[in-house]
Amino acid sequence: MTEKSYFNNEYLLQIKDNYKKIADNINSAVNKAGRTDKVRLMAVTKTVPFEIVNYSASLGIELLGENRVQEFLGKYEHYDKKCQVHFIGRLQSNKVKYIIDKVSMIHSVDSVKLADEIDRRCQVSGRKMDILIEVNIGNEENKSGVPTDEVSRLAEHCLSLPNIILKGFMAIPPIDIDGSSCKFFERMERIYNDYRCKFGEQIDTLSMGMSADYANAVMYGANIVRIGSALFGRRS
Ligand SMILES: *Cc1c(COP(=O)(O)O)cnc(C)c1O
């Protein structure tokens, strides 16, 4: 997409149309799954100018997902203040300090070191931070997230830290041979339900499903779906 095409009316109408379709698809999946709880649509804003992000907010989107610290710092001041911002990208410990007062949840906690740094920065800022553990649910090499056999160790560590609140789990699953990620969504749902049984309602967030597969993710209990290209168009 060229810079110019961002601000024309046709593009805005396209986003409006996309938003309506996504919201309809989420509702259908919620009904089909027989769910009575709510699914939040997160707009993933990487490469999207803040004006366009704010346009999506004017349509009703209230949750933004940020991947890149540097890009986020350049845009966040301009964002509609009614929006909540969650950090969803790979996060180096030395960057935590830049975002700690600007986001209300971090979805991508995948190491003790990162959890400790978030806890420490929260202490300095006098706040608490909601976090999700990112699970490498396909146990893929070179993929972010904690491998499945290390989830419990990291979860216990997070639960022991005074300034972070473990709310649940996030995943970016691979695509299985059947062309879907359903098997992995199902595994994530199982992990989420296990922790919800053990630790109660503090565990209330399952973040999975992107543009290509959010309807399936909703069938397996996702309550935040993270949508970029289906809303804003293909990233250049
Ligand atoms: C980019 C991104 C998304 C959105 O991806 P789309 O396929 O464009 O919807 C969701 N989650 C994370 C962590 C991402 O980096």
Side-chain angles (χ1 to χ4, degrees):
M1 197 175 307
T2 65
E3 188 65 26
K4 229 164 54 193
S5 71
Y6 269 132
F7 300 102
N8 67 35
N9 199 36
E10 206 177 315
Y11 178 50
L12 299 185
L13 286 173
Q14 185 66 58
I15 292 174
K16 190 172 182 177
D17 195 45
N18 292 344
Y19 175 56
K20 190 181 174 319
K21 282 187 187 138
I22 295 163
D24 285 350
N25 290 340
I26 290 172
N27 276 331
S28 306
V30 165
N31 291 333
K32 198 167 149 199
R35 291 175 56 171
T36 53
D37 58 332
K38 274 193 71 142
V39 175
R40 301 179 77 190
L41 196 177
M42 167 193 282
V44 175
T45 64
K46 58 188 175 229
T47 77
V48 181
F50 72 83
E51 294 92 338
I52 299 296
V53 174
N54 286 342
Y55 174 70
S56 74
S58 78
L59 300 174
I61 284 173
E62 295 181 330
L63 178 59
L64 308 178
E66 296 291 328
N67 283 75
R68 298 167 184 164
V69 171
Q70 215 52 40
E71 181 186 334
F72 170 48
L73 294 178
K75 295 199 293 194
Y76 117 98
E77 249 179 74
H78 304 286
Y79 283 162
D80 188 326
K81 293 294 174 271
K82 78 164 188 187
C83 290
Q84 277 184 31
V85 181
H86 290 180
F87 197 82
I88 63 172
R90 197 170 272 199
L91 183 56
Q92 291 169 283
S93 300
N94 63 1
K95 301 268 175 73
V96 170
K97 57 178 176 287
Y98 299 119
I99 65 163
I100 199 76
D101 290 318
K102 300 181 178 66
V103 303
S104 58
M105 191 185 281
I106 298 174
H107 290 217
S108 43
V109 176
D110 64 357
S111 71
V112 164
K113 183 178 174 209
L114 179 57
D116 284 347
E117 177 63 6
I118 296 169
D119 182 66
R120 194 173 77 81
R121 288 291 170 183
C122 280
Q123 173 132 42
V124 172
S125 286
R127 65 161 295 168
K128 297 199 190 295
M129 181 67 78
D130 290 343
I131 63 130
L132 305 179
I133 289 177
E134 181 178 351
V135 182
N136 179 357
I137 193 63
N139 294 314
E140 298 170 279
E141 255 176 69
N142 304 319
K143 187 97 171 249
S144 55
V146 66
T148 47
D149 61 356
E150 290 172 28
V151 170
S152 70
R153 188 174 141 265
L154 181 56
E156 263 158 47
H157 186 77
C158 289
L159 287 161
S160 77
L161 295 172
N163 303 301
I164 68 181
I165 303 166
L166 177 64
K167 301 294 282 181
F169 302 91
M170 182 271 248
I172 309 171
I175 293 169
D176 202 14
I177 37 174
D178 71 352
S180 86
S181 300
C182 289
K183 179 171 94 188
F184 300 105
F185 288 146
E186 190 179 6
R187 288 184 191 165
M188 285 302 299
E189 184 178 37
R190 213 173 302 147
I191 293 172
Y192 173 71
N193 285 337
D194 277 356
Y195 277 82
R196 206 168 148 77
C197 281
K198 269 190 265 180
F199 299 103
E201 290 184 356
Q202 172 181 336
I203 306 293
D204 64 5
T205 307
L206 181 56
S207 166
M208 60 185 192
M210 317 201 301
S211 290
D213 55 15
Y214 61 91
N216 282 336
V218 169
M219 296 303 294
Y220 291 98
N223 55 21
I224 295 181
V225 293
R226 308 180 310 268
I227 312 283
S229 49
L231 182 65
F232 295 117
R234 271 203 8 240
R235 289 178 289 275
S236 45

